[in-house]
């Protein structure tokens, strides 16, 4: 029976516990060599897996960076478009407000003139 310690961050040798019968049939030296070989293979696979994970993460990170950059550009374009539309609408409202204000001022001026005429006629 072979049991192993779970994979961890740092390379850790396989802890093998072999049956007594295994040691009796193969001998102490051969069994120890086999355990050492298991540990070497495990360390190699752990190193390979770590390297593969780092490469995959680097690719993922590059793709994520590319997508975030594209999203930022798209968002910036939309914000610029919205700003232009907002400025256009504000300019239109300003023109309408100026026209209404001019009309109100003119009406007020005419009302004052009418009031003066009414006073003059009343005198």
């Amino acid at each position: 029976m072979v049991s192993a310690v779970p994979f961890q961050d740092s390379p850790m040798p396989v802890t093998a516990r072999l049956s007594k019968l295994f040691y009796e049939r193969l001998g102490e030296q051969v069994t120890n060599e086999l355990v050492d070989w298991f540990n070497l293979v495990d360390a190699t696979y752990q190193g390979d897996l770590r390297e593969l994970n780092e490469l995959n993460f680097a690719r993922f990170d590059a793709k994520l960076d590319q997508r975030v950059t594209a999203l930022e550009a798209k968002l910036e374009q939309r914000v610029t478009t919205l700003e232009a539309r907002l400025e256009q609408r504000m300019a239109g409202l300003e023109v309408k407000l100026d026209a209404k204000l001019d009309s109100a001022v003119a009406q007020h001026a005419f009302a004052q003139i009418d009031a003066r005429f009414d006073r003059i006629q009343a005198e």
Side-chain angles (χ1 to χ4, degrees):
M1 166 195 282
V2 176
S3 62
V5 173
F7 178 77
Q8 296 179 358
D9 252 353
S10 60
M12 192 170 183
V14 172
T15 304
R17 196 178 77 210
L18 304 173
S19 70
K20 202 176 201 182
L21 183 60
F22 203 90
Y23 278 94
E24 288 172 2
R25 295 248 173 123
L26 294 178
E28 184 85 20
Q29 183 180 356
V30 172
T31 303
N32 287 337
E33 285 179 20
L34 186 59
V35 169
D36 289 344
W37 179 78
F38 279 141
N39 289 336
L40 178 64
V41 168
D42 182 57
T44 301
Y45 283 147
Q46 283 185 13
D48 290 349
L49 181 60
R50 183 174 290 107
E51 186 177 321
L52 183 62
N53 283 339
E54 286 173 3
L55 289 172
N56 283 335
F57 181 76
R59 275 185 278 186
F60 167 77
D61 194 35
K63 282 184 181 180
L64 180 63
D65 213 22
Q66 181 182 16
R67 289 178 181 167
V68 166
T69 301
L71 183 61
E72 285 175 342
K74 197 176 202 179
L75 186 59
E76 183 65 32
Q77 180 184 13
R78 286 187 178 178
V79 166
T80 301
T81 301
L82 287 173
E83 285 176 343
R85 286 174 58 195
L86 182 61
E87 285 179 20
Q88 183 181 11
R89 286 187 178 179
M90 286 175 56
L93 287 174
E94 188 176 338
V95 167
K96 287 180 182 178
L97 184 59
D98 283 346
K100 286 188 178 189
L101 187 58
D102 289 344
S103 174
V105 167
Q107 286 176 0
H108 181 69
F110 285 128
Q112 284 182 342
I113 291 171
D114 283 344
R116 284 185 187 166
F117 278 132
D118 288 344
R119 273 187 265 147
I120 291 172
Q121 284 177 350
E123 291 179 359

